[in-house]
Amino acid sequence: MKLVFLGREQLELRSGGTVWTLRIHELCVLAMLVGGGKAGWCAYQMRPSRNVTQEATAIDAFPEVVIWHRRAGWSAVIGAGLAFLAACLVLIGMYQRLAFD
């Protein structure tokens, strides 16, 4: 989606370190999206165990799905945190490039 709306990055204007930081950021965003998607799919699979009038029985009914849901959720959270940190580094690099140009 980013390529469609914003186009390609001009990587030739960046140093090697900032290109690596950008790539790591993109991998963290990918981990966040895949983990969140998997966690959402697991939640969708567990929905028959949820009822408004009863307690949740997902742990008893879907033990493997609950484990995958937890792992995928944590990978999404960690990916989001790392993507945020990498985005901060990318932004700092952009500001530095503007200041020295």
Side-chain angles (χ1 to χ4, degrees):
M1 297 297 288
K2 181 180 124 183
L3 288 176
V4 171
F5 291 108
L6 300 176
R8 292 212 171 265
E9 300 265 349
Q10 294 179 342
L11 297 179
E12 61 276 357
L13 300 177
R14 295 177 180 254
S15 68
T18 56
V19 171
W20 275 102
T21 304
L22 181 64
R23 295 293 183 223
I24 290 169
H25 166 73
E26 291 172 346
L27 285 174
C28 292
V29 169
L30 179 65
M32 175 186 66
L33 292 174
V34 170
K38 177 65 175 173
W41 176 251
C42 291
Y44 179 77
Q45 288 178 316
M46 292 185 291
R47 79 188 189 301
S49 68
R50 294 283 178 172
N51 191 330
V52 175
T53 60
Q54 299 174 350
E55 291 186 23
T57 58
I59 294 174
D60 297 331
F62 302 96
E64 288 182 15
V65 179
V66 169
I67 291 170
W68 276 106
H69 176 73
R70 186 172 295 129
R71 288 178 182 167
W74 273 110
S75 69
V77 168
I78 292 169
L82 292 175
F84 178 75
L85 291 175
C88 290
L89 293 174
V90 169
L91 188 61
I92 289 169
M94 290 171 68
Y95 285 147
Q96 286 175 344
R97 208 171 56 242
L98 284 174
F100 295 118
D101 283 346

